[in-house]
Amino acid sequence: NHPSTPERVKNALANARQFSGPGNGERDRNEYLTDLNGVVYGEDPSEGFVRGRRFLHPKLGFTFLAPPGFTLDNTAQAVLGLKAGGGEAMRLDVVTVPAEQSLPDYLKSGWMENIDPASVAEFSVNGFPAATATAKGRQWSFRLFAVRFGSDVYRFIFAAKNMTAQADQAFRESILSFRRMSLKESQQIKPLRVKIVTVGTHDTAARLARRMAVSDHALVRFRVLNGLGPHDRMKPGERVKIVE
């Protein structure tokens, strides 16, 4: 399950403890912050990057755009997505499927229950073989896609509590955005890094948060990263962490 925003913030707070200083005075704190400057923040670069609705994986060489309103979460096992309001979700993972097994046959092979055999169809996504099908559960309806990319098959599961024609069209448009990344694109994608900055006379948490290279909850992330409560104030000259 995709964690809710409060749970994600709680997890971020727990993870932020690794950034707390050793507690041996201002000198140690400053040395510690200096050592943190440039440290990779967030995703493991070997597992790809989330940039807004777009997911990019330079190592594997592919990218796709999630449907409008979705927030993506990159994990070691899968890329997860949830639409604001919680009524739609998605999952992308990678499996190995024998070359001799067709994608329609794979969709009907039992990896997903209650697939409608009449909905299975083959098509092509930017030159890559693909297949799609629908399935229904008690509370959710599903639009499934399988795309053969190199020696692997990429499985997209889109789910909606209310599978309208509009939602299904958004899922289809998302899968059509799946494509190979160019070499130039791969070289330009860089991981996010911690940067140490000095608080200016007129700086506030909100102002510094606007410099954060994150797609959502910038102010919350800034406060978490720096161990600041909602009413804590920063002093001019103090050194704090942002993300670039």
Side-chain angles (χ1 to χ4, degrees):
N1 292 331
H2 188 94
S4 64
T5 296
E7 184 181 348
R8 294 177 71 188
V9 171
K10 181 180 177 182
N11 292 340
L13 279 166
N15 293 335
R17 291 187 184 127
Q18 65 182 302
F19 290 107
S20 61
N24 292 324
E26 190 64 24
R27 178 180 174 185
D28 279 353
R29 181 179 184 276
N30 283 328
E31 289 179 354
Y32 187 75
L33 288 174
T34 299
D35 289 342
L36 277 180
N37 198 44
V39 168
V40 172
Y41 171 88
E43 303 142 311
D44 181 344
S46 68
E47 294 172 358
F49 301 96
V50 171
R51 296 292 183 266
R53 287 195 292 132
R54 181 165 293 281
F55 179 75
L56 308 103
H57 204 307
K59 186 176 179 181
L60 296 179
F62 77 92
T63 180
F64 79 92
L65 188 66
F70 269 67
T71 297
L72 294 176
D73 189 21
N74 187 20
T75 75
Q77 292 75 35
V79 179
L80 307 175
L82 186 69
K83 188 173 181 178
E88 296 176 20
M90 66 160 291
R91 174 188 173 98
L92 162 65
D93 62 14
V94 186
V95 294
T96 300
V97 177
E100 60 271 17
Q101 185 176 22
S102 73
L103 292 180
D105 285 346
Y106 174 69
L107 288 179
K108 294 182 288 186
S109 66
W111 70 277
M112 185 83 174
E113 294 182 350
N114 300 323
I115 285 182
D116 177 6
S119 70
V120 178
E122 278 188 288
F123 65 110
S124 178
V125 174
N126 294 313
F128 300 107
T132 186
T134 59
K136 281 193 175 183
R138 287 192 301 174
Q139 296 183 340
W140 293 81
S141 296
F142 303 92
R143 166 63 67 179
L144 315 175
F145 296 99
V147 181
R148 195 178 287 279
F149 185 76
S151 59
D152 294 318
V153 167
Y154 290 69
R155 302 188 303 190
F156 289 80
I157 302 175
F158 292 96
K161 290 183 179 178
N162 179 23
M163 184 67 83
T164 63
Q166 183 180 9
D168 197 36
Q169 181 62 28
F171 297 159
R172 289 178 177 274
E173 290 176 0
S174 178
I175 199 67
L176 292 177
S177 74
F178 181 93
R179 61 175 175 81
R180 186 185 300 279
M181 291 180 65
S182 69
L183 180 60
K184 184 178 180 181
E185 281 181 307
S186 298
Q187 293 172 338
Q188 288 176 338
I189 298 299
K190 305 296 181 184
L192 300 179
R193 294 185 182 276
V194 174
K195 181 179 181 181
I196 307 303
V197 299
T198 301
V199 177
T201 304
H202 303 292
D203 279 335
T204 62
R207 175 176 286 187
L208 290 171
R210 287 196 289 270
R211 297 173 58 183
M212 297 270 286
V214 296
S215 60
D216 61 345
H217 308 296
L219 181 55
V220 172
R221 292 174 188 264
F222 175 78
R223 291 191 181 281
V224 167
L225 190 59
N226 290 285
L228 296 171
H231 304 295
D232 290 342
R233 297 290 180 264
M234 302 173 299
K235 299 176 182 178
E238 183 179 352
R239 300 173 77 203
V240 295
K241 300 179 283 288
I242 65 171
V243 175
E244 284 196 327

